[in-house]
Amino acid sequence: MTITTIMKMNNMGSEQEDNQQNPNENNANGVDRAWLTKAKETIGQWAYIMLRDADDHDIDWDWVRSLDLEHGIGVATAADLEPGAAIGVHDLLKADLEIRDRLEAIIAKMSMVFMRDFDRHIKTYELPRALAYADRRLTDQIDLLRDRGVAEGLWTVTDEDRERVTVPVLHAADGSGLTDDDLADVQDRTAEIVNARAEKRKADREKREESRHERRMALFEADEKHYGSVEAGPDESAPADSSSDAGSPDYLIEGQPVINDDNPAVPNVEQEHVDETAVPEMRYEKSRHAAAEHVAARAAAAPKDYWREVYLPGRDVDNVMGIDLETNGTEPYRAYIIDVGFEYMNMKSSRPTQLPDDYRYDKDYYESGDAYDQHRFSFGVTPEAARHGNEFIIQLTGIDISQRTGAGFPLFDEDPAAQADLLRRLTTQPFVAHMATFEHSFFMLNVAGYAEAYRNGHVTIIDTLPMSRLWDEGSVPCEGHPDGDNTLDAYAKRQGALREDDAERHLGLEDTHIMLLAMKHHLTQLKAEARGPWGPGGKAGVGGKRIVNYRRRRRW
């Protein structure tokens, strides 16, 4: 059964059907979702720049324009989510998964395209945020359709690790009359897609590195022709059996050319004035190493092996805002932000004395220390996400999302005031997070104006993860942690911010607090030992990752 057929079946005789039968319809809570439809006005800008999606497929922007982002992009109605509904759950699930795979391939490409739009053809990032908003509700619907299949005795669901991601896998239930092969077209393809993209990125990196190496070698050969053969020296008139030949016993002593009377290609000082064909020593030294200098310069400009180094702090970092998010999943276009904690701390200057210092954290032994202006905010999920629940999140954080609905738990992606307040804080001073790319990815698709501010250079991001990996001698490789144990829990314990017999709380504010305490202690120690930002290769200034605005040179 096709998507079109299912939609026609749902629309038969229901032209006057109440909107609230659709789980994603506007409700009576006063939320204005008109911005979702308005975001589609920028499709023309995206279509001009972005022709293909993350899987290298052509994008049908008319299809994107046809999506009803305000009221739901899935094929099922609220009634279809209930066991025993008229339309078979298999066909509904298959249709929804096809929509999600197609949509997410577009979303996955949008961040890179937006950041590389140096000519600013794309004015805002509202469209990706709107697509992610709709995709979250579609994921809720997919989860409930899987639950319906379980309730109808068609299949069981288990979470299984598939290389880089964990996915729900359907297995035919006993007595269902189905086999696992019958469920092949309703299996979650996320792992297949993500792993294929990762392999493609790896192949592209290897190809770029090979191309870079070929360019270096071409430059090296060009320099040899320009300056003279490295093997023969700049004076190629030297006889073939000259001691200037490579491999000759007196050719190099600890990497330096031998100056003697037996080597006509390497004259002594007296010969410089009498032999017009001789090459002066200083000129020979310069030309002798010119090619190597070119290669070394290009190697130094090549991307660093560890890409997170760009997030390291500089030696002048001071006032920062630490932040940590808790979510009900790992993908920012599928999961909801359910807990936000942030606070401020000065790494160099004194703590503001006029502010209270008696804040109480979830852990009794946590002391405020130098932290100030602490905040904790709780957000909710849709009724559909609450109905599905999430046992893993309960075990990890203690947060039961099945209880996170209603007026007391607004949805972060529907709370423009909360987004505006957070954006103001994120752009006022550097923000710090542990594995900051996680927070950054959620901000991009949840906080109105964040992507634009980041692209324009108004956001500075510092990450304590590379601090742990590169500057903490206690972060040693071990089984299970080939690069060292650089989790926030391990880093905070090594830096004295968390007791050895305790564990990371996995709540936004508590994790933020131990992170900032660990960072400040670590920076103090590094400065005393002239390491890290104060050592070789350390950064001056604030450091961190910040977009430098691209300015095209004007051509006259």
Side-chain angles (χ1 to χ4, degrees), residues 459-528:
V459 175
T460 301
I461 310 172
I462 294 175
D463 195 342
T464 51
L465 177 58
M467 290 182 62
S468 174
R469 178 174 174 179
L470 299 176
W471 294 341
D472 188 343
E473 63 278 2
S475 176
V476 295
C478 62
E479 185 177 357
H481 297 284
D483 296 316
D485 190 349
N486 301 302
T487 61
L488 177 57
D489 184 275
Y491 178 60
K493 286 177 179 176
R494 289 196 298 268
Q495 298 302 327
L498 186 64
R499 288 195 319 213
E500 288 292 335
D501 61 349
D502 202 357
E504 176 187 353
R505 182 62 183 87
H506 292 291
L507 284 176
L509 185 56
E510 278 67 25
D511 290 358
T512 296
H513 187 61
I514 63 173
M515 174 188 67
L516 289 183
L517 287 177
M519 177 182 175
K520 185 164 186 176
H521 180 273
H522 197 187
L523 287 176
T524 301
Q525 181 182 15
L526 291 169
K527 183 176 181 180

Side-chain angles (χ1 to χ4, degrees), residues 324-328 336-340 376-381 389-405 409 505-510:
D324 183 74
L325 304 179
E326 300 300 332
T327 64
N328 70 324
Y336 298 92
I337 295 174
I338 57 176
D339 187 72
V340 179
R376 183 201 310 275
F377 294 106
S378 297
F379 294 97
V381 297
N390 193 315
E391 287 298 323
F392 175 76
I393 295 300
I394 294 177
Q395 296 173 12
L396 183 68
T397 67
I399 298 174
D400 184 357
I401 65 170
S402 68
Q403 306 301 314
R404 288 288 182 109
T405 59
F409 295 100
R505 182 62 183 87
H506 292 291
L507 284 176
L509 185 56
E510 278 67 25

Side-chain angles (χ1 to χ4, degrees), residues 454-457 546-551:
Y454 178 69
R455 185 174 72 168
N456 291 331
R546 177 173 174 268
I547 297 297
V548 177
N549 285 336
Y550 177 83
R551 292 288 183 268

Side-chain angles (χ1 to χ4, degrees), residues 39-55:
K40 292 196 289 184
E41 295 176 2
T42 64
I43 285 177
Q45 300 170 16
W46 286 94
Y48 180 74
I49 299 294
M50 184 173 157
L51 305 179
R52 302 175 76 82
D53 63 23
D55 299 321

Side-chain angles (χ1 to χ4, degrees), residues 111 306-312 323-325 327 329-333 431-446 450 454 459-466 515 545:
S111 176
Y306 185 46
W307 60 274
R308 290 187 192 270
E309 286 188 15
V310 295
Y311 293 95
L312 289 169
I323 189 165
D324 183 74
L325 304 179
T327 64
T330 58
E331 297 297 340
Y333 38 76
F431 81 80
V432 181
H434 195 80
M435 198 169 75
T437 50
F438 179 84
E439 275 73 18
H440 171 71
S441 66
F442 272 86
F443 294 153
M444 289 283 289
L445 290 175
N446 280 272
Y450 175 85
Y454 178 69
V459 175
T460 301
I461 310 172
I462 294 175
D463 195 342
T464 51
L465 177 58
M515 174 188 67
K545 173 71 178 294

Side-chain angles (χ1 to χ4, degrees), residues 227-244:
Y227 294 109
S229 171
V230 171
E231 285 78 10
D235 183 0
E236 297 187 354
S237 64
D241 61 350
S242 165
S243 58
S244 66

